[in-house]
Amino acid sequence: MAEQASTNDLELLTFRVADQEYSLDIMSVREIRGWTRTTPMPHAPSYMRGVINLRGTVLPVMDLAARLNLPSQETGDRNVIIVVHLNGVLTGLLVDAVSDIVAMTVDDLQPPPDMASEPSMAVVRALTVIDDRMIRVLDLTAVVPNRADDAA
Amino acid sequence: MNLTVLAVDDSRTMRDMIRLALVQAGFTVHVAEDGINGLEVLEGLEPDAIITDINMPRMDGFGFIDAVRAQDDHRATPILVLTTESAPELKMRARNAGATGWIVKPFDPIKLVKALQMVAG
Amino acid sequence: MSDPMDPMAEIRASFFIECEELLEALQDGLNQLEDGGEDTETINVVFRAVHSIKGGAGAFGLEALVRFAHRYETVLDEVRSNRLVPDHEALKLFFQAADHLSDLVRACRDDQPLPEETSAALLDELDKLLGDQTEEEVQPQDFTPLGVSLDLPGLSDLDDAADGSDPIPCWTIHFKPAFELYETGNEPQMLLRNLCALGEAEVSCDIGELPGLLDLKPETPHLAWTIRLTADVDEAEIRAVFEFVEGLCRLDITRDADPAAAPEAAAPAPMPDAAAEPGDPRPATPSPAPEAAPKAGSAGNSSKSVVRVDLERIERLVNLVGELVINQAMLSQSLESAGLSPHSDAMNGLEEFQRLTRDIQDSVMMIRAQPVKSLFQRMSRIVREASAAVGKEVRLITDGENTEVDKTVIERLADPLTHMIRNAVDHGLETAEARKASGKTEEGHVRLTAAHRSGRVVIEVADDGGGIDRQKVLETAVRKGLVPSDAVLSDTEIDNLLFLPGFSTAGKVSNLSGRGVGMDVVKTAIQQLGGRISIASERHRGTTFTISLPLTLAVLDGMVVDVAGETLVLPLNVVVETLSLSSEDVQMLRPGANVVRVRGGFVPIYDLGAMLGYRPVRTDFTGCIVLLISLDDGHRAALVIDGIQDQRQVVIKGLDDSFYRAPGIAAATILGDGQIALILDPADIIAGNGPIRVPDRSLKEKRADHG
């Protein structure tokens, strides 16, 4: 069963946010860059960290810890910004540190248990275990809100 | 055979298509966008054949043929008229104005090249 | 999408661009006809536009387009030849047909489904104009579009000599050119050669009619030829050689007796089209071209040399220039901080560099500038459709069509302008009866104008309708809870209520402008373009909406300021002056609302740092710097800032508002140090904060009204 078609293979970028391990499909990651000071946006939701200059374009940066309702950490030079693209739009995700890139198949993923009361679980689309550590696979479409959600 | 052709048409698309068809056949192509411009371009040029549209601003195809035929150098230069209609009246009118032959738009590039070779060499 | 290496794809793309130009010429021409321009060249232009679209469409096998254009052209040809004099209704149909033609062109271009039903309906209408003339010389079905393929085979079929084993037919051809054959530039030698190319030929020249040298008149044909052709061809193929000289020569083609062939083939073949004595040098029926004699100047075909450039390349250039400007700013910042003398070579060079950069930038921006004409033409269509939908007679008057604006601005103006035009037709103008009752012409007027005014583009949409019913507007706003019921508002303030989200004055929602889009959406769209919109209205006289836009979306003359540790940019043109406050300048109006005295007047004061959420509200404004700004509605406001850095041109970077749009922020820019600074929209900030009302004369007037 594990030896399925290669379309079932995927690579995950794993990273740490507020001492928790998360991951994203590497296909949605455009680049990883070091922390730079963000320009805050007035009256933005708390998870909107502001905007930075990404080679001449204005990139909105989201504080992933705040977005996931995790305790926000002190931000400094050790933080990194993962630049992801979703539906043609680039967004920066502020995380603590990037850990690894791991290859696996979809069969290694398990659906998260149904725990509706846990709001941050709504953005986790699957769980997996690497070296005995539980890794949450984020659902990018749920993490990056679209405007319609925001207005509601 | 390398023929030099002057193509006069007010439609850029048509000019582009004529040029493409003829350049692919190895011809040298000069273009003009109406009768007046055609006469300007014709100056100092000795084309083996001329292609002209009928409906054009400033000077139409009939006027252009008239003017070309009035020049001693071009009394015998073959002139093919581009016409969208295959109506016999238009052909007759073109011929009366001095046109050598006609090509019905939309033209088939092969026929265009063939027609030019028939009249000009 | 299209392969850049495929010349046909390129020509096809260029055909659609040409179509846009032709459609524009068509619109122009129809407008002129409507204005009573009876000059023959106008109808010629209109005819040619449709004709050329048809021609190109045929080449690409766009049958639906050809079919429609053909019928349209046929009707226009009737007008051209004075067989049909278009009345008001016919002109209306011509406009509709032009609109539809443009729909067809776009559908073909984008491979979208074609609006066949409209086609059929309009074709019927056009047919009605033609009346019984369906038997006219050009049969529509006569014209079969022919897709063009440009794979030229080696042309080898031209001289395919037949060498099959079947008995090869033998032909005898008698050919005697008439005078006109030479006159039309045909050459017997060429014809003979082409004939010989069909097979094996034996040519003999008949000089029997050649007179003696003394009687020989140059240019009078005396020669005749007899050709014996052995070729595997049929008669049609031989006739094809003589296609162009049909009727200009005597031509007899006979097939030699051949056991396999029918004996009657020897009968002279009929010569179609050339019934009357072909050999006779008939006087050519004179046919001077009457309709388009050289008419200097009138055709408006200015042969300006134009280069077509892919928009992407221009965008790239614009972006690069933007980077250049930023880089230049960075360089000057680092040179300044290096403590160089302002008279040093480096600083002088930098100044020159700055000047050049600015020149380059201006030139690049000009590449993108386009006249608003195409946009206005779209609006004339909107007026036609909107007026038909609500059953009003409306005339659109345009002015300043050649005003040039950045292409992007033009594109993004289409939607808001469409909405405003619909509004003017639907709500602005009264019904014909109401107009008549108040002594106006039954036909309503909408005036659309563009002009350059002090470095901005001003576009106005004005109607001569009933004007804004302010009482009704205010009632509606109160009913909808948009303003408190005891609110006392000036006329301007009431007019501006129209821009509030969720406001709609129409008692009943018409299917025209009541599409859930309000003027608030228009306002937002204009603001996103860095523009402003204002209203002026007079009861029974009409309403004018004025849009003021920057010439380009790419750069902005800004004032760079510090607020709560952040760097912000304000559009320079709103800033009236800067003031430094002393303790007695600021007066409290009510808690949380302060005013500053400026030369005898009171101006509301806004604490930018607090409004943007950067810091708590200040209570003491002593020592603060304020920018006195002027808003579109004529109000002034004082913005508290911490300091002014400088005034400079900044490159505007769009903010991706796909998941968050900050109120009061128009865009962003990149500073010399690579940091992003936000560009403020002062009017939006103040609107978002709830305007502070300051007693003014209009308020007193209101009081008097109500008192």
Side-chain angles (χ1 to χ4, degrees):
Chain A
M1 281 293 277
E3 297 299 313
Q4 285 261 331
S6 61
T7 48
N8 281 352
D9 291 338
L10 80 163
E11 282 187 309
L12 295 177
L13 176 77
T14 66
F15 48 87
R16 298 184 69 80
V17 181
D19 295 324
Q20 307 287 315
E21 284 211 81
Y22 287 89
S23 68
L24 276 172
D25 189 336
I26 196 95
M27 296 309 288
S28 55
V29 176
R30 181 64 73 82
E31 65 178 279
I32 297 161
R33 47 173 297 140
W35 164 251
T36 53
R37 185 187 170 277
T38 54
T39 299
M41 296 292 286
H43 308 296
S46 60
Y47 56 79
M48 260 293 286
R49 221 19 212 264
V51 290
I52 60 165
N53 168 14
L54 181 74
R55 286 182 305 278
T57 62
V58 180
L59 179 80
V61 176
M62 186 183 291
D63 184 337
L64 197 53
R67 178 68 183 157
L68 300 174
N69 291 322
L70 301 169
S72 228
Q73 310 275 304
E74 194 73 11
T75 321
D77 287 343
R78 295 216 319 277
N79 287 83
V80 293
I81 295 169
I82 303 175
V83 182
V84 295
H85 60 112
L86 179 69
N87 304 327
V89 178
L90 290 181
T91 306
L93 302 178
L94 176 66
V95 303
D96 294 349
V98 167
S99 324
D100 204 357
I101 295 173
V102 291
M104 59 179 58
T105 74
V106 288
D107 301 310
D108 297 328
L109 303 179
Q110 308 168 22
D114 188 16
M115 298 167 78
S117 60
E118 235 249 89
S120 70
M121 284 311 268
V123 298
V124 174
R125 78 176 157 97
L127 300 173
T128 189
V129 174
I130 299 167
D131 300 336
D132 277 347
R133 299 188 325 266
M134 184 184 81
I135 311 278
R136 302 157 188 84
V137 184
L138 287 175
D139 178 0
L140 201 52
T141 54
V143 173
V144 179
N146 60 42
R147 209 174 168 188
D149 290 353
D150 214 40
Chain B
M1 187 167 332
N2 183 4
L3 296 180
T4 298
V5 178
L6 168 65
V8 187
D9 197 310
D10 60 325
S11 158
R12 195 164 62 218
T13 307
M14 247 349 120
R15 291 198 298 274
D16 285 349
M17 296 198 57
I18 294 171
R19 192 205 298 269
L20 181 65
L22 299 188
V23 166
Q24 282 189 356
F27 292 7
T28 307
V29 186
H30 299 265
V31 293
E33 57 191 37
D34 59 38
I36 302 247
N37 186 219
L39 292 175
E40 286 162 5
V41 175
L42 187 61
E43 213 153 298
L45 202 68
E46 279 179 35
D48 299 300
I50 297 172
I51 302 173
T52 180
D53 188 23
I54 291 297
N55 269 300
M56 294 185 292
R58 298 208 293 171
M59 179 191 277
D60 71 1
F62 299 123
F64 174 67
I65 296 170
D66 257 358
V68 172
R69 286 284 178 247
Q71 298 182 17
D72 273 352
D73 289 354
H74 303 297
R75 283 177 54 205
T77 306
I79 303 177
L80 296 183
V81 166
L82 279 171
T83 154
T84 19
E85 281 79 14
S86 48
E89 296 82 14
L90 274 178
K91 288 182 190 170
M92 288 314 289
R93 243 186 107 185
R95 176 189 279 172
N96 289 337
T100 312
W102 48 84
I103 296 161
V104 177
K105 281 196 279 191
F107 62 85
D108 174 358
I110 299 169
K111 278 194 190 149
L112 175 67
V113 170
K114 198 164 164 178
L116 282 168
Q117 281 170 333
M118 298 242 302
V119 295
Chain C
M1 193 182 73
S2 61
D3 177 3
M5 298 311 288
D6 177 1
M8 274 312 277
E10 214 173 279
I11 295 178
R12 189 184 151 101
S14 122
F15 164 65
F16 286 117
I17 295 172
E18 187 180 14
C19 277
E20 294 294 328
E21 292 162 15
L22 292 168
L23 288 167
E24 196 177 305
L26 175 60
Q27 280 285 351
D28 272 355
L30 289 176
N31 282 334
Q32 278 176 36
L33 287 181
E34 196 184 31
D35 293 344
E38 294 293 326
D39 116 61
T40 45
E41 183 55 18
T42 308
I43 180 67
N44 275 331
V45 166
V46 167
F47 174 83
R48 264 200 311 273
V50 179
H51 181 78
S52 292
I53 290 174
K54 184 181 89 173
F60 297 104
L62 306 169
E63 285 186 46
L65 190 51
V66 171
R67 215 176 309 124
F68 188 77
H70 180 75
R71 197 81 56 94
Y72 191 12
E73 178 194 17
T74 308
V75 177
L76 291 174
D77 196 30
E78 293 296 297
V79 179
R80 196 167 69 135
S81 45
N82 294 320
R83 286 193 293 264
L84 176 73
V85 179
D87 55 5
H88 184 65
E89 288 305 307
L91 266 173
K92 238 177 171 169
L93 177 61
F94 288 173
F95 273 114
Q96 278 174 15
D99 292 343
H100 184 64
L101 194 62
S102 109
D103 285 347
L104 284 175
V105 164
R106 278 170 205 148
C108 289
R109 179 190 63 196
D110 305 335
D111 284 326
Q112 294 293 313
L114 298 165
E116 305 271 9
E117 274 172 38
T118 324
S119 282
L122 284 171
L123 284 174
D124 280 353
E125 292 291 315
L126 289 170
D127 275 349
K128 279 184 202 150
L129 279 184
L130 287 176
D132 293 334
Q133 299 185 33
T134 28
E135 299 271 5
E136 34 90 35
E137 73 269 29
V138 182
Q139 302 281 325
Q141 56 268 41
D142 210 30
F143 185 83
T144 25
L146 169 75
V148 171
S149 116
L150 278 172
D151 302 317
L152 289 181
L155 297 168
S156 55
D157 56 334
L158 286 185
D159 37 25
D160 254 353
D163 58 351
S165 50
D166 289 339
I168 297 170
C170 223
W171 302 86
T172 303
I173 300 142
H174 291 286
F175 167 53
K176 182 175 190 303
F179 173 66
E180 291 90 344
L181 185 142
Y182 297 93
E183 226 179 27
T184 56
N186 277 291
E187 178 62 62
Q189 201 193 324
M190 291 290 176
L191 295 164
L192 294 175
R193 189 206 56 188
N194 296 334
L195 197 59
C196 294
L198 294 175
E200 235 170 83
E202 205 179 283
V203 182
S204 55
C205 184
D206 178 4
I207 54 169
E209 290 180 38
L210 199 61
L213 200 56
L214 277 181
D215 300 325
L216 188 70
K217 292 196 196 93
E219 314 218 325
T220 306
H222 301 286
L223 297 177
W225 286 269
T226 302
I227 306 102
R228 283 188 54 79
L229 178 70
T230 312
D232 188 15
V233 293
D234 56 24
E235 190 180 324
E237 280 171 85
I238 297 172
R239 287 215 171 266
V241 171
F242 294 94
E243 186 195 354
F244 293 158
V245 294
E246 230 175 61
L248 300 182
C249 61
R250 189 202 306 262
L251 185 66
D252 299 319
I253 302 174
T254 48
R255 186 170 178 159
D256 291 2
D258 172 322
E264 68 268 30
M271 281 192 287
D273 245 356
E277 298 290 50
D280 273 349
R282 277 181 300 172
T285 11
S287 146
E291 77 253 54
K295 211 178 187 186
S298 72
N301 188 343
S302 54
S303 298
K304 235 197 281 176
S305 121
V306 172
V307 180
R308 271 172 299 140
V309 183
D310 195 342
L311 191 61
E312 251 175 52
R313 292 191 194 173
I314 295 177
E315 295 298 328
R316 195 174 136 71
L317 187 60
V318 168
N319 281 334
L320 282 173
V321 171
E323 299 301 305
L324 182 68
V325 171
I326 291 168
N327 240 283
Q328 185 259 110
M330 286 184 180
L331 184 61
S332 71
Q333 203 161 350
S334 55
L335 280 180
E336 264 161 42
S337 60
L340 285 176
S341 145
H343 306 295
S344 64
D345 285 352
M347 291 307 272
N348 284 335
L350 185 69
E351 215 166 274
E352 180 72 357
F353 181 34
Q354 248 159 1
R355 197 182 57 74
L356 281 173
T357 310
R358 203 171 173 127
D359 284 356
I360 292 175
Q361 195 170 32
D362 289 349
S363 311
V364 168
M365 294 314 156
M366 273 171 48
I367 301 179
R368 295 213 302 190
Q370 277 193 337
V372 293
K373 190 174 182 177
S374 59
L375 181 66
F376 278 20
Q377 287 198 338
R378 275 163 82 177
M379 293 310 129
S380 71
R381 172 173 188 174
I382 301 294
V383 169
R384 283 195 294 280
E385 289 173 351
S387 55
V390 296
K392 294 179 186 171
E393 284 288 319
V394 183
R395 187 168 177 76
L396 179 74
I397 303 147
T398 56
D399 192 28
E401 297 187 318
N402 292 323
T403 309
E404 291 199 338
V405 193
D406 190 294
K407 184 179 163 63
T408 331
V409 176
I410 290 180
E411 281 162 5
R412 288 170 57 185
L413 260 181
D415 280 351
L417 213 49
T418 300
H419 189 75
M420 289 167 71
I421 293 275
R422 281 202 184 119
N423 254 335
V425 172
D426 195 6
H427 304 314
L429 295 173
E430 319 90 321
T431 58
E433 303 83 69
R435 288 182 67 87
K436 219 164 143 189
S438 53
K440 293 182 183 177
T441 53
E442 283 185 40
E443 184 184 58
H445 295 97
V446 175
R447 181 178 285 275
L448 178 61
T449 57
H452 282 268
R453 218 173 286 162
S454 55
R456 289 176 79 85
V457 182
V458 177
I459 293 176
E460 285 189 353
V461 178
D463 64 62
D464 65 347
I468 293 173
D469 184 345
R470 298 203 169 91
Q471 197 172 344
K472 205 167 124 201
V473 167
L474 189 57
E475 280 166 13
T476 310
V478 170
R479 183 160 35 82
K480 298 197 168 179
L482 298 169
V483 288
S485 57
D486 57 349
V488 180
L489 301 177
S490 69
D491 285 356
T492 314
E493 284 167 337
I494 294 176
D495 292 349
N496 279 307
L497 292 174
L498 294 179
F499 293 122
L500 287 181
F503 189 94
S504 171
T505 44
K508 57 175 195 293
V509 173
S510 76
N511 61 351
L512 191 58
S513 40
R515 283 180 185 156
V517 193
M519 284 301 288
D520 59 315
V521 176
V522 170
K523 186 176 187 178
T524 310
I526 300 294
Q527 281 174 340
Q528 280 172 353
L529 289 170
R532 300 185 295 264
I533 182 165
S534 59
I535 315 178
S537 183
E538 201 179 328
R539 206 76 187 100
H540 310 301
R541 298 290 292 276
T543 306
T544 302
F545 285 89
T546 305
I547 300 172
S548 149
L549 292 162
L551 284 178
T552 166
L553 293 183
V555 283
L556 170 86
D557 280 311
M559 177 170 276
V560 185
V561 300
D562 291 317
V563 176
E566 296 294 334
T567 306
L568 297 168
V569 180
L570 275 137
L572 194 56
N573 62 337
V574 303
V575 180
V576 181
E577 62 179 301
T578 58
L579 308 164
S580 188
L581 297 184
S582 61
S583 54
E584 64 268 25
D585 287 332
V586 182
Q587 306 287 327
M588 191 182 76
L589 186 63
R590 55 184 145 82
N594 296 289
V595 292
V596 62
R597 279 189 70 161
V598 181
R599 279 186 290 279
F602 292 101
V603 176
I605 190 164
Y606 297 92
D607 183 358
L608 263 188
M611 290 167 81
L612 296 173
Y614 290 162
R615 64 165 176 234
V617 185
R618 256 175 214 273
T619 47
D620 182 14
F621 293 100
T622 312
C624 284
I625 294 170
V626 296
L627 297 177
L628 189 64
I629 62 167
S630 154
L631 300 176
D632 280 323
D633 57 8
H635 281 94
R636 291 184 299 173
L639 302 181
V640 178
I641 58 168
D642 296 346
I644 296 173
Q645 287 187 11
D646 62 0
Q647 296 174 7
R648 77 169 89 116
Q649 201 173 45
V650 296
V651 177
I652 299 176
K653 296 283 180 183
L655 282 170
D656 171 32
D657 60 357
S658 56
F659 66 88
Y660 176 64
R661 185 180 126 70
I665 305 300
T669 189
I670 297 169
L671 298 172
D673 60 2
Q675 283 283 311
I676 288 179
L678 301 177
I679 299 174
L680 300 182
D681 176 348
D684 195 23
I685 296 181
I686 290 165
N689 205 55
I692 300 171
R693 309 250 161 255
V694 178
D696 63 7
R697 252 186 317 241
S698 60
L699 188 61
K700 282 187 206 121
E701 276 166 24
K702 274 282 151 196
R703 286 225 172 94
D705 287 347
H706 288 252

